[in-house]
Amino acid sequence: MRILNRAEKAFWLLDQVSSMNFAIAAEGTGMLRTLSIEKAAQALMRRYPMAAVHIVQEGSVLRFEAAEGMPEIRTCSIPWIQDLETDLTRPFPEGGPLWRITLWQGPENFALIVTFHHCIADGRSGFRFLLDLLSVLDTQELPSLPAAGLQNRFEGAMFVPRPPPARPDVLPWFSKKTGPSVPRLTHISLTENESSGIVQSAKKNSLTVHGLVGAAQLCALASLLDSKSANLALSTPADARARLPANDSMLELCITLVTSPVLAEPGRMLECAREISAHIKSEMREDFLRFYETMPDADALLAKEGGIRLFGTMMQRGVQASVLSNVGTVELPVFSSFKVESMCFTVHPTLLQPVFTTLTTCNGRMHLLLNHDSARWEEGTFQKFTEAFRANLGILAGL
């Protein structure tokens, strides 16, 4: 159908050494039925070309081809966040679509989760996809938007090799991967007052909400060091649609990754926020494809014997960077058959990401999911980090 573009190949490579799946979740009240979900999934496969493909490797060539059958639709009986900790990293069936659905249904409440392979979607298009799924479940109809082909938004984009960025300090309690991952999810929900306070603090100090939350995260990490200060890096998955001919109605991967070096310490959160905000704005205005320029060429690696193993070794030696992905404010539609009260998302961290934090704002509240490999953190350290991060968010809400 078409060859993967440079961005899709990069995320396929990353997925070969550490799962790059991500999931979008909607929580609400009402009853959902698996038979209705199956019919809705069929409708979305007809509308979204990326929902009906799998990836075929032919030598060093990676192609999207038509998938066989339907996406997996499963139910879980344990709390959905606990179920997602392990299900998020589960591979997709060979030949099948690169997404699946999980339903947790209680007596009155539900959680509906769609898990994607990152090559076919990003956070922005993933949220839209799940909202469309909910719309079909509610009315059994989709808005009349035509299905397009497998668009390549990066076609013609210039990729110029750049030297790697300066190496940040290494976190001493985060070890190299030596065995199976033990992923854990931590959910933080801010109150309406706290959420509003962070927005007001951003406006008052001419900063972005993303910069403030990113600073709270990095300064929390620095607070666990003996020196209480460190040169750290924050990676931001940034929407590239403003720089590429993207179509908002598509399911697609249309992001880049901006890594911002920051001197982090508990007493300079506002300064950190200002540096993060300015750096992201500068990179997106100028060399917004820097992330893909630093990635090795997938075709060349696949042409080598043991190329994927070599890439895994390269990843282990790379730069540590925590991640904050902010999808912004999600407007929740009013459905007639059920009520959606909140949405959030999560991404499994790569080998070089100590923690992958996601931020979603809906109904006036900010929801954060922190994803980390507990097998690589010293016991008790992540809890201390979470407490410091939560405290920093409270401080910023009051500035």
Side-chain angles (χ1 to χ4, degrees):
M1 297 174 72
R2 80 161 168 83
I3 295 175
L4 274 65
N5 64 35
R6 180 69 178 269
E8 292 156 349
K9 288 178 182 177
F11 277 87
W12 183 89
L13 271 180
L14 291 169
D15 189 69
Q16 300 309 297
V17 296
S18 179
S19 172
M20 281 302 301
N21 295 345
F22 76 99
I24 314 285
E27 294 184 279
T29 56
M31 296 291 294
L32 301 183
R33 308 290 182 186
T34 53
L35 181 59
S36 299
I37 293 173
E38 183 176 340
K39 292 179 180 179
Q42 291 173 340
L44 264 68
M45 288 183 73
R46 291 192 295 268
R47 175 179 180 181
Y48 290 104
M50 279 293 190
V53 300
H54 71 127
I55 296 173
V56 175
Q57 179 184 350
E58 298 174 346
S60 61
V61 177
L62 298 169
R63 297 182 59 86
F64 287 119
E65 296 291 351
E68 302 170 357
M70 291 284 296
E72 179 186 8
I73 300 172
R74 59 186 288 272
T75 59
C76 68
S77 56
I78 61 176
W80 69 268
I81 288 184
Q82 183 180 342
D83 176 83
L84 187 58
E85 286 178 339
T86 53
D87 185 67
L88 184 63
T89 62
R90 189 163 53 88
F92 292 92
E94 185 175 353
L98 298 173
W99 61 290
R100 58 176 171 262
I101 300 173
T102 301
L103 171 66
W104 176 86
Q105 181 68 65
E108 298 178 354
N109 301 331
F110 70 84
L112 187 65
I113 302 100
V114 178
T115 301
F116 299 91
H117 192 298
H118 223 323
C119 284
I120 68 164
D122 55 24
R124 182 167 174 174
S125 62
F127 269 90
R128 184 170 50 250
F129 185 89
L130 179 50
L131 288 171
D132 273 355
L133 178 65
L134 289 163
S135 179
V136 178
L137 287 173
D138 187 43
T139 65
Q140 298 304 306
E141 294 181 359
L142 264 175
S144 55
L145 288 175
L150 293 181
Q151 301 297 314
N152 179 2
R153 304 301 176 192
F154 288 81
E155 186 173 8
M158 297 297 294
F159 296 89
V160 182
R162 305 284 184 185
R167 297 182 70 89
D169 296 338
V170 173
L171 299 176
W173 60 82
F174 181 66
S175 62
K176 286 188 176 182
K177 183 177 175 63
T178 57
S181 297
V182 184
R184 291 289 180 266
L185 283 169
T186 303
H187 190 192
I188 297 175
S189 287
L190 303 186
T191 66
E192 288 188 29
N193 285 341
E194 289 173 320
S195 302
S196 174
I198 289 176
V199 172
Q200 293 305 313
S201 292
K203 291 179 179 178
K204 179 181 176 182
N205 293 282
S206 301
L207 299 168
T208 63
V209 168
H210 185 91
L212 283 177
V213 177
Q217 178 169 316
L218 291 188
C219 291
L221 290 170
S223 71
L224 303 181
L225 298 167
D226 292 338
S227 65
K228 308 299 181 187
S229 176
N231 291 304
L232 301 179
L234 182 77
S235 288
T236 298
D239 189 359
R241 287 167 176 80
R243 297 293 305 274
L244 296 170
N247 184 334
D248 275 352
S249 66
M250 296 297 297
L251 183 70
E252 62 184 345
L253 174 68
C254 196
I255 59 172
T256 187
L257 197 69
V258 177
T259 299
S260 307
V262 172
L263 173 61
E265 55 188 45
R268 67 184 310 268
M269 278 198 289
L270 286 181
E271 291 84 350
C272 288
R274 188 164 289 108
E275 291 166 12
I276 292 168
S277 302
H279 185 259
I280 294 172
K281 185 178 295 185
S282 172
E283 289 291 296
M284 292 305 293
R285 185 174 57 246
E286 298 171 4
D287 188 12
F288 75 107
L289 296 175
R290 184 183 297 271
F291 166 64
Y292 298 112
E293 294 159 1
T294 61
M295 289 286 291
D297 182 74
D299 295 347
L301 276 177
L302 291 174
K304 290 182 179 180
E305 185 177 352
I308 297 298
R309 186 172 63 253
L310 174 63
F311 177 66
T313 302
M314 292 167 58
M315 283 290 295
Q316 288 274 37
R317 295 172 180 169
V319 172
Q320 286 185 5
S322 300
V323 186
L324 173 62
S325 182
N326 178 14
V327 79
T329 300
V330 177
E331 300 295 338
L332 301 179
V334 176
F335 299 105
S336 59
S337 306
F338 47 80
K339 181 180 181 181
V340 175
E341 297 172 337
S342 68
M343 296 184 73
C344 58
F345 73 115
T346 188
V347 185
H348 186 264
T350 69
L351 297 177
L352 294 171
Q353 296 167 348
V355 58
F356 200 122
T357 301
T358 56
L359 171 62
T360 310
T361 303
C362 52
N363 284 337
R365 296 184 62 182
M366 294 181 179
H367 301 274
L368 298 98
L369 276 176
L370 283 59
N371 200 331
H372 79 291
D373 182 355
S374 63
R376 300 177 62 189
W377 282 67
E378 287 183 6
E379 187 174 355
T381 307
F382 193 82
Q383 182 179 353
K384 293 178 181 177
F385 159 68
T386 303
E387 292 169 353
F389 187 16
R390 185 68 179 82
N392 285 349
L393 292 170
I395 291 170
L396 292 173
L399 292 179

